[in-house]
Amino acid sequence: MPAAPSSAAFSRPLAAGLLLALAVIAAHLTGFRGVFVFDDLHAIVDNPTIRDLGRLDRILLAPAEGGTIGGRPVVNLTFALNHAAGGLDPRGYHAVNVLIHVAAALVLFGLVRRTLLRLPRFAADALPLALAVAALWALHPLQTAAVTYVVQRAESLMGLFYLLTLYCFVRGTESRRKAWFLGSFIACLLGMGTKEVMASAPLLVLLYDRTFVAGSWREAWRQHGRFHGALMSTWLLLALLILNTEGRGGSAGFGTAVGWWEYALTQCVAITHYLRLALWPHPLVFDYGTPLCRSLAVAAPQAGLLLLLLGATGWALARKPALGFLGAWFFLILAPSSSVVPVATQTMAEHRLYLPLAAGIALLALALHTLGGRRGVIALLVLAAAAGGLTARRNLVYHSELALWTDTVAHRPENSRAHSNLGIALVEAGRLPEAVTRFEAALALDPDSAPTHLNLAHTLVALGRREEALTHYAAVLQLAPGDAGDAPERLAAVAYDLGNQAASRGDFDGAMTRYRQALAAVPGHVAARNNLANALLVSGRVEEAIAEYREILRAKPDSIQVRENLARALEMQTAPRR
């Protein structure tokens, strides 16, 4: 963790940058033992498009379905490169994520330093202030959601491109070299191919120009109008990617099951929660599930606070442009995912604060410096050191799915998805009775979850509780007949075995119920139909038995045993009654 740097380090940006990089790597060393979890399994382990680096068409044009992260070709390409280099060893993926985060921290350091040099009040301490801001931002435990959780490379990589877009623009305005402006454009284009949040980057660059470079909107457009137009043209790529994936495979946009108003209310609660975590990062939650706030009365206090902050940002943009820029940074970057456009699969997520967090930390740094000068910077670096320790500790929960989901359930007991995933982790650990408890807790919160019914049914079968399992297999077929997977075959197999057990006890009525249950799941289950016919025959229901035997023979006309059973049934039908 970083200690207060010497005056020599303050005077040399390269030394300060090296110190920053080493601190970030040290804090995230504990994350290298992390495993693939949750969406990592779809985006990496089960993603067929990253298996062949020679098929760039599959990598870059992958649809947002079937385990891919389509619509985000740059991220998918990095996963393909990881796979080519080290297969499915998580350590390689974690290493790349940490390096991306280090790079983002260094670019933020450079951006803040060069911006402060433009402000006479802070120019003398631009380097230590920038180091403190970048260190606290990079070492904050909130960032583990975008760094240690591998699939959220989408967030951190987008953040890197976002920062590079701004940084290269700043360098271009300083040096007047076209190469820097070209670099800014390329970074923006790559960011659009990384994550949709990049949409606000051209607007924030224009605002930066107006605030720190040109001094007015008119002058910014006069001096750099072509460049700003070029950045805005990258929206075309983003639009094409969104259209191609039809709103992230139907999981995002106004066509989802989540209404825009409910989502907006939820974001009022979510954003104020993020602000609290920025100040006091506990408890951190891996997965919040899909909570929705449906009442304005419930969200009114949070909505009032956000409206106040938005109003203050608007006022500052007019009267205190530098402070207004920080407010705009926060709200513009959050807007694509945390406003009115629903993201149905994740209504709250800590990784969304990855870049917006920088604005709050910069504001804190300026306030502390104003109050205490260099001592305020030292205080920030002490906070960064403490934050680094918390980050190293937080990374430990990613070492196993069991640890991660146990932690999530502890802090978010109302999240049915967390209970269900903890149940899966418990099954893999061989702790089946505990898994049943978790699945039942998940169903108590979300009784219509077909996957949870299916997992519970499998677990009950493994425990020998087959009668209970049938209920949950049947629920799967009712809730999701088109996505039931092997549930029909599983149900049929269990029902068939239970039918045989009932028949061996002489309970032919019970046996027939089970055989019919098996046939309802798998109509072509010949053994179940044959045993049903036999049970009917033994029970004296000869005509029904004959109908079942004939049904079997339509599918298997060469079955000698069934023909013999049918012949015996026909004899019983024609035999004179006594």
Side-chain angles (χ1 to χ4, degrees):
M1 304 305 103
S6 66
S7 58
F10 277 156
S11 67
R12 288 183 283 184
L14 287 178
L18 178 61
L19 178 65
L20 174 62
L22 292 175
V24 176
I25 292 171
H28 282 281
L29 282 177
T30 53
F32 278 69
R33 289 178 55 196
V35 299
F36 291 129
V37 296
F38 202 29
D39 284 342
D40 291 342
L41 304 179
H42 302 299
I44 301 170
V45 178
D46 298 327
N47 183 353
T49 69
I50 67 171
R51 303 297 173 83
D52 185 358
L53 195 56
R55 292 292 306 276
L56 281 177
D57 57 328
R58 296 189 67 205
I59 294 170
L60 300 179
L61 301 176
E65 59 187 18
T68 72
I69 50 170
R72 296 173 179 175
V74 177
V75 188
N76 212 37
L77 177 59
T78 66
F79 286 150
L81 291 168
N82 258 129
H83 190 277
L88 293 176
D89 185 343
R91 291 173 296 181
Y93 296 82
H94 284 298
V96 171
N97 275 25
V98 172
L99 290 176
I100 289 170
H101 188 50
V102 168
L106 292 173
V107 177
L108 178 64
F109 166 60
L111 177 64
V112 173
R113 174 176 167 272
R114 290 180 179 277
T115 302
L116 291 175
L117 288 172
R118 295 171 181 268
L119 304 175
R121 186 174 181 179
F122 302 103
D125 287 329
L127 193 148
L129 263 175
L131 177 62
V133 169
L136 184 52
W137 174 81
L139 296 170
H140 200 291
L142 258 176
Q143 307 294 43
T144 56
V147 179
T148 315
Y149 183 20
V150 177
V151 77
Q152 287 309 328
R153 178 181 299 180
E155 191 77 38
S156 59
L157 187 59
M158 178 279 302
L160 172 59
F161 288 134
Y162 205 119
L163 291 168
L164 280 170
T165 301
L166 273 163
Y167 180 78
C168 290
F169 168 72
V170 172
R171 294 299 303 269
T173 61
E174 292 174 350
S175 66
R176 303 294 180 182
R177 292 180 180 176
K178 293 182 179 180
W180 284 110
F181 290 105
L182 178 61
S184 179
F185 172 78
I186 292 172
C188 193
L189 194 67
L190 290 171
M192 296 295 177
T194 301
K195 193 171 184 180
E196 298 79 1
V197 177
M198 192 72 187
S200 61
L203 299 177
L204 205 60
V205 173
L206 178 60
L207 180 59
Y208 187 99
D209 193 356
R210 171 261 185 184
T211 304
F212 299 108
V213 181
S216 70
W217 295 113
R218 178 180 295 178
E219 193 62 20
W221 199 259
R222 186 188 70 80
Q223 293 181 18
H224 308 114
R226 286 186 182 179
F227 171 74
H228 292 303
L231 283 192
M232 292 176 186
S233 73
T234 62
W235 284 332
L236 294 174
L237 172 62
L238 181 59
L240 287 173
L241 292 172
I242 292 173
L243 290 172
N244 184 55
T245 59
E246 298 180 348
R248 302 288 310 145
S251 65
F254 294 111
T256 68
V258 178
W260 71 269
W261 175 245
E262 293 174 339
Y263 190 77
L265 292 178
T266 303
Q267 295 319 295
C268 292
V269 177
I271 294 171
T272 53
H273 179 69
Y274 301 154
L275 289 172
R276 185 192 68 76
L277 288 178
L279 295 172
W280 188 258
H282 180 80
L284 297 178
V285 177
F286 174 71
D287 176 34
Y288 287 84
T290 55
L292 281 175
C293 179
R294 303 179 187 276
S295 169
L296 177 59
V298 173
Q302 294 91 335
L305 175 61
L306 291 182
L307 286 174
L308 182 64
L309 292 175
L310 281 167
T313 296
W315 174 87
L317 283 170
R319 301 296 182 87
K320 302 285 185 181
L323 291 179
F325 179 81
L326 292 178
W329 174 293
F330 182 83
F331 286 111
L332 279 175
I333 296 175
L334 271 179
S337 61
S338 304
S339 55
V340 298
V341 182
V343 181
T345 54
Q346 209 170 33
T347 55
M348 292 177 65
E350 291 169 3
H351 64 78
R352 292 174 185 165
L353 208 62
Y354 183 74
L355 270 186
L357 180 63
I361 290 174
L363 183 61
L364 175 64
L366 296 180
L368 288 177
H369 184 271
T370 300
L371 293 173
R374 184 65 64 87
R375 286 175 296 179
V377 178
I378 301 300
L380 270 179
L381 289 170
V382 171
L383 285 176
L390 293 175
T391 290
R393 182 177 179 181
R394 175 62 182 170
N395 282 336
L396 298 177
V397 303
Y398 287 85
H399 286 188
S400 73
E401 289 192 273
L402 184 58
L404 186 62
W405 291 114
T406 298
D407 180 80
T408 304
V409 165
H411 297 306
R412 204 74 178 178
E414 69 277 20
N415 182 355
S416 63
R417 188 162 66 193
H419 284 282
S420 184
N421 282 314
L422 177 54
I424 294 171
L426 287 165
V427 168
E428 293 176 351
R431 295 159 59 178
L432 301 188
E434 295 173 73
V436 169
T437 301
R438 290 299 111 216
F439 291 136
E440 289 175 341
L443 289 174
L445 293 164
D446 182 12
D448 293 333
S449 173
T452 305
H453 278 289
L454 185 60
N455 286 324
L456 177 54
H458 291 345
T459 309
L460 289 170
V461 168
L463 288 169
R465 295 161 60 179
R466 296 187 164 200
E467 292 279 355
E468 297 173 68
L470 285 179
T471 302
H472 296 286
Y473 280 129
V476 174
L477 298 182
Q478 181 179 0
L479 292 167
D483 299 310
D486 66 348
E489 290 76 17
R490 295 260 194 163
L491 187 154
V494 173
Y496 176 71
D497 287 343
L498 290 174
N500 291 343
Q501 292 174 23
S504 67
R505 298 192 303 267
D507 178 11
F508 294 107
D509 287 338
M512 286 186 282
T513 298
R514 295 308 181 200
Y515 293 141
R516 287 195 172 98
Q517 200 167 17
L519 288 168
V522 180
H525 199 305
V526 174
R529 191 174 298 280
N530 184 65
N531 285 6
L532 170 62
N534 293 341
L536 287 166
L537 194 61
V538 171
S539 300
R541 297 160 65 175
V542 179
E543 291 185 0
E544 294 176 66
I546 290 171
E548 295 297 339
Y549 287 134
R550 284 175 171 164
E551 183 67 25
I552 298 171
L553 288 173
R554 290 191 184 95
K556 297 186 68 175
D558 298 331
S559 175
I560 297 175
Q561 181 182 3
V562 174
R563 286 188 176 279
E564 290 176 349
N565 290 339
L566 175 59
R568 186 169 69 255
L570 290 170
E571 288 177 2
M572 293 175 64
Q573 184 184 44
T574 58
R577 297 183 179 181
R578 296 182 180 180

